[in-house]
Amino acid sequence: SATMPEEVVRLGFGMTEGDKVSCGAATVAVMPASADEKAATNVGTAAPLDCTAGFAALRQAVAATPCRCAFIFVHGYNTTLPFGLKRTAQLALDLPYPGLAIVFSFGASGRFNDYVNDIESEELAAAALHRLLVELSRDEAGVAPDIDVIAQSMGSRLTLRAATEGGPGPRLRYVVLAAPDLDQAAFLRLGAKLTGSAPPKARRVTVYTAKYDTALSASSALHGGMPRLGSGLNAAYAQNLPATDIVDATKRATD
């Protein structure tokens, strides 16, 4: 633990592999654009949250929001839980989102050279994310909440597998895949299950791509040169995917 960032040690979540789930709640202080350049977004000490009884505590928190809705941010490779929390808070403020903001952390190591380790971690976490999506999206007293997912990079692969495989699926509203580190053929197969099933597991899917994403180029090299979904997808390939939008953000990408 001496080599881990102080925030990771203090929070005590997100550094174990397997399908066991730990839950917590934390306050994140996001610095405004007008803040001093040295000001940093800070994560408060996390308080344990009960994960039992089908995530009952989380379901109650979602039901208490004005929109009865929540978004789940599924982060990608090389991301620690504290960084994922900061990104989640920034998303909640920037959207702005009226519901509950949740981050699903799959125990990525937060180290650049641990790509293969992170792949194994996200595969082990698929069953846990599946349970979370199913439980949060199920009917409560005849009314189903609106659950959205924003998945980034490797988190897109985890999200699609969790939503489409392993028994009865969830009922999601919007699924956003940002720079997805996913094989294109795998997306066409899993995407068809996501929006083409009856009933659909998601009402709408939006994929953001960028042609010259350096991280995805590196991933492609590690996968035998096979292109990744986040580097672009010919619109003709997605014609048979219902309720799916492919957005080419190449001209807006900054890194």
Side-chain angles (χ1 to χ4, degrees), residues 61-63 65-71 97-101 145-148 173:
V62 173
T65 64
C67 59
R68 291 181 61 89
C69 65
F71 84 81
Y97 194 82
L100 193 68
D146 288 321
I147 303 299
D148 307 311
R173 182 171 57 171

Side-chain angles (χ1 to χ4, degrees), residues 156-180:
S156 300
R157 181 188 325 183
L158 169 58
T159 296
L160 287 178
R161 289 182 56 232
T164 60
E165 299 177 356
R171 301 284 184 88
L172 306 174
R173 182 171 57 171
Y174 305 129
V175 174
V176 177
L177 308 179

Side-chain angles (χ1 to χ4, degrees), residues 50-60 135 138 140:
D50 188 4
C51 281
T52 59
F55 299 98
L58 271 178
R59 287 191 282 109
Q60 290 172 7
E135 291 294 340
R138 68 181 173 88
E140 289 286 351

Side-chain angles (χ1 to χ4, degrees), residues 109-180:
S109 66
R111 292 186 290 263
F112 179 78
N113 293 326
D114 280 355
Y115 182 84
V116 174
N117 175 75
D118 285 0
I119 288 178
E120 292 186 345
S121 294
E122 61 94 8
E123 289 177 349
L124 287 168
L129 180 57
H130 173 81
R131 293 198 303 272
L132 177 66
L133 296 178
V134 169
E135 291 294 340
L136 288 190
S137 63
R138 68 181 173 88
D139 288 1
E140 289 286 351
V143 179
D146 288 321
I147 303 299
D148 307 311
V149 180
I150 302 174
Q152 188 262 333
S153 184
M154 188 181 289
S156 300
R157 181 188 325 183
L158 169 58
T159 296
L160 287 178
R161 289 182 56 232
T164 60
E165 299 177 356
R171 301 284 184 88
L172 306 174
R173 182 171 57 171
Y174 305 129
V175 174
V176 177
L177 308 179

Side-chain angles (χ1 to χ4, degrees), residues 2-237:
T3 61
M4 295 182 188
E6 182 273 334
E7 278 187 315
V8 175
V9 176
R10 174 168 56 81
L11 288 172
F13 289 86
M15 293 303 293
T16 58
E17 295 179 345
D19 62 358
K20 182 181 178 182
V21 181
S22 297
C23 298
T27 299
V28 182
V30 180
M31 294 299 103
S34 59
D36 184 273
E37 62 180 12
K38 294 182 180 180
T41 292
N42 294 307
V43 180
T45 299
L49 191 67
D50 188 4
C51 281
T52 59
F55 299 98
L58 271 178
R59 287 191 282 109
Q60 290 172 7
V62 173
T65 64
C67 59
R68 291 181 61 89
C69 65
F71 84 81
I72 302 171
F73 176 56
V74 185
H75 64 68
Y77 140 79
N78 190 24
T79 301
T80 61
L81 174 62
F83 192 78
L85 279 165
K86 294 172 185 177
R87 280 286 182 258
T88 304
Q90 289 169 334
L91 284 167
L93 289 174
D94 290 345
L95 286 173
Y97 194 82
L100 193 68
I102 301 169
V103 58
F104 181 87
S105 178
F106 59 85
S109 66
R111 292 186 290 263
F112 179 78
N113 293 326
D114 280 355
Y115 182 84
V116 174
N117 175 75
D118 285 0
I119 288 178
E120 292 186 345
S121 294
E122 61 94 8
E123 289 177 349
L124 287 168
L129 180 57
H130 173 81
R131 293 198 303 272
L132 177 66
L133 296 178
V134 169
E135 291 294 340
L136 288 190
S137 63
R138 68 181 173 88
D139 288 1
E140 289 286 351
V143 179
D146 288 321
I147 303 299
D148 307 311
V149 180
I150 302 174
Q152 188 262 333
S153 184
M154 188 181 289
S156 300
R157 181 188 325 183
L158 169 58
T159 296
L160 287 178
R161 289 182 56 232
T164 60
E165 299 177 356
R171 301 284 184 88
L172 306 174
R173 182 171 57 171
Y174 305 129
V175 174
V176 177
L177 308 179
D181 185 2
L182 177 74
D183 181 79
Q184 294 182 358
F187 169 69
L188 295 177
R189 176 177 63 84
L190 296 174
K193 291 183 178 181
L194 195 62
T195 56
S197 59
K201 295 176 175 63
R203 289 186 224 166
R204 179 158 294 278
V205 175
T206 304
V207 182
Y208 287 94
T209 69
K211 186 176 181 180
Y212 303 113
D213 188 309
T214 54
L216 292 175
S217 296
S219 176
S220 176
L222 288 172
H223 288 88
M226 297 297 293
R228 313 310 283 165
L229 174 62
S231 296
L233 180 70
N234 190 311
Y237 295 150

